[in-house]
Amino acid sequence: MTLSIQHQSFGQLADGREVSLYKLTNANGVALDVTNYGGIITRLVTPDAKGQFADIVLGYDNLAQYVENNPYFGAIIGRYGNRIAAGKFALNGTTYQLATNDGVNHLHGGVQGFDKKLWEAKTFQQEDAVGVVLSLLSPDGDQGYPGNLNVEVTYRLTNSNELQMTFVATTDKTTVVNLTQHSYFNLAGGGDILSHELMIPADRITPVSAGLIPTGQLQDVTGTPFDFRSAKAIGRDIAAEDAQLKLGLGYDHNFVLKNSPDQHLILAGRVFEPNSGRVLEVLTDDIAVQFYSGNFLDGTLKGKGQTYGHRSGFCLEPQHFPDAPNQPGFASTVLEPGQTYQSRIVYRFSTQATKE
């Protein structure tokens, strides 16, 4: 097989704008489909330990489903991944009110976050990779945020079976930024994800109160269901008597990877699916990762020949901390004019022997 890129129509938005789908394939047959609507990864095909290929991300069959009711399947998240309490924050003495779309709180960029924007797209091909560069201007006042924010996200699929993602943003007014990718994975290609074995090398989480807003504290994971420092099945402790699990209806928490921001790429999580042998490693240069165990999937959403039941997918979303603009003890998410926001995420796909 050889590297390839195909480009086709993915339909039209209600205002007549054309949406495209880009189909990227590497020399090993790993295939990535991404649309410029929301930067959504609609399909991600990888081999299992026996060389059988399957789609390992949740998603839909067509554009209309993504527009109508998408719980962020596969999308670029911005301007701010995760939650901001009451949709409010202050910068330089000015209080900004954002769109609220999660009760009284602001979630994943608001009512029309980056997951619902039509991005400009251009493809590229290199000796060992194919990719697409997505770009967007989020205007001053978009969802309540200050500043014209220019954003560029690159997806690069390599022959070493990595999907390398870079996020870059600049602004003309002081603002806040926290970008991530929100793919839902199921390495078995179907069923629930409770037997997937997860390792997250984090010794602390940012515990939450009602509405999943951080308390501002850091909580040691030792002796709690949140200790994934040694790999364990996602389902092993998910029903434990634990106040944090009750608030999240399962895992929906931010795990601390670094004490302070730097540009070093580190492991955020490793997942092994014991029946297929598929392995996903998520790497990031960010300081934290949100682990979400698909708690709100309830069987009402259907796509790609499947019904997405409870906990049929998981997310590992590298990012800064939730509600950081309102938490002086958290690392800053402020971006000033003249600065450049940059972050990287890598999905690395491999296999290991199954447990047969």
Side-chain angles (χ1 to χ4, degrees), residues 232-244:
K232 66 179 180 181
I234 289 172
R236 192 182 86 178
D237 298 326
I238 204 166
E241 279 295 317
D242 180 270
Q244 286 296 307

Side-chain angles (χ1 to χ4, degrees), residues 72 83-84 99-108 211-213 296:
Y72 307 102
R83 291 164 176 84
I84 295 177
T100 52
N101 60 324
D102 184 42
V104 299
N105 300 317
H106 176 85
L107 175 66
H108 290 337
L212 299 180
I213 299 297
F296 294 104

Side-chain angles (χ1 to χ4, degrees), residues 97-125:
Q97 177 64 60
L98 306 178
T100 52
N101 60 324
D102 184 42
V104 299
N105 300 317
H106 176 85
L107 175 66
H108 290 337
V111 176
Q112 192 185 41
F114 290 178
D115 59 296
K116 298 178 181 68
K117 306 284 192 184
L118 189 62
W119 297 63
E120 295 291 321
K122 59 181 180 181
T123 59
F124 63 88
Q125 185 159 345

Side-chain angles (χ1 to χ4, degrees), residues 80-86 88 213-214 321-328 330:
Y80 200 97
N82 222 311
R83 291 164 176 84
I84 295 177
K88 289 182 182 178
I213 299 297
F321 295 177
D323 199 36
N326 295 312
Q327 303 279 0
F330 287 178

Side-chain angles (χ1 to χ4, degrees), residues 61-94:
D61 300 286
N62 55 62
L63 176 64
Q65 288 179 288
Y66 284 108
V67 171
E68 183 180 335
N69 185 15
N70 184 20
Y72 307 102
F73 285 156
I76 295 170
I77 301 300
R79 294 188 188 190
Y80 200 97
N82 222 311
R83 291 164 176 84
I84 295 177
K88 289 182 182 178
F89 63 90
L91 284 175
N92 301 331
T94 300

Side-chain angles (χ1 to χ4, degrees), residues 52-281:
Q52 300 297 308
F53 284 81
D55 186 356
I56 61 167
V57 293
L58 279 56
Y60 290 130
D61 300 286
N62 55 62
L63 176 64
Q65 288 179 288
Y66 284 108
V67 171
E68 183 180 335
N69 185 15
N70 184 20
Y72 307 102
F73 285 156
I76 295 170
I77 301 300
R79 294 188 188 190
Y80 200 97
N82 222 311
R83 291 164 176 84
I84 295 177
K88 289 182 182 178
F89 63 90
L91 284 175
N92 301 331
T94 300
T95 298
Y96 294 93
Q97 177 64 60
L98 306 178
T100 52
N101 60 324
D102 184 42
V104 299
N105 300 317
H106 176 85
L107 175 66
H108 290 337
V111 176
Q112 192 185 41
F114 290 178
D115 59 296
K116 298 178 181 68
K117 306 284 192 184
L118 189 62
W119 297 63
E120 295 291 321
K122 59 181 180 181
T123 59
F124 63 88
Q125 185 159 345
Q126 299 166 330
E127 185 178 352
D128 65 339
V130 286
V132 58
V133 180
L134 299 163
S135 55
L136 177 73
L137 169 61
S138 173
D140 184 34
D142 187 8
Q143 303 300 295
Y145 287 97
N148 292 294
L149 192 77
N150 281 288
V151 187
E152 187 174 277
V153 177
T154 302
Y155 291 144
R156 182 175 182 266
L157 179 64
T158 75
N159 282 340
S160 55
N161 291 352
E162 289 186 350
L163 174 56
Q164 302 170 348
M165 295 166 276
T166 59
F167 302 77
V168 178
T170 57
T171 183
D172 61 1
K173 188 186 291 186
T174 304
T175 192
V176 297
V177 186
N178 188 28
L179 306 180
T180 191
Q181 221 291 334
H182 206 302
S183 285
Y184 287 67
F185 291 96
N186 184 317
L187 302 185
D192 67 44
I193 46 83
L194 297 177
S195 64
H196 286 52
E197 296 177 8
L198 171 64
M199 190 279 287
I200 301 176
D203 57 13
R204 293 163 297 164
I205 62 168
T206 53
V208 295
S209 56
L212 299 180
I213 299 297
T215 64
Q217 308 301 309
L218 299 180
Q219 177 179 308
D220 192 330
V221 301
T222 304
T224 77
F226 294 85
D227 193 345
F228 285 93
R229 290 173 294 185
S230 295
K232 66 179 180 181
I234 289 172
R236 192 182 86 178
D237 298 326
I238 204 166
E241 279 295 317
D242 180 270
Q244 286 296 307
L245 286 176
K246 287 181 178 177
L247 284 164
L249 302 178
Y251 296 105
D252 193 359
H253 291 77
N254 176 62
F255 287 71
V256 180
L257 300 172
K258 296 179 178 181
N259 290 322
S260 57
D262 61 41
Q263 295 180 331
H264 297 297
L265 206 61
I266 61 168
L267 185 68
R270 183 183 190 274
V271 189
F272 169 59
E273 201 287 302
N275 294 310
S276 68
R278 287 189 182 88
V279 175
L280 167 67
E281 291 172 296

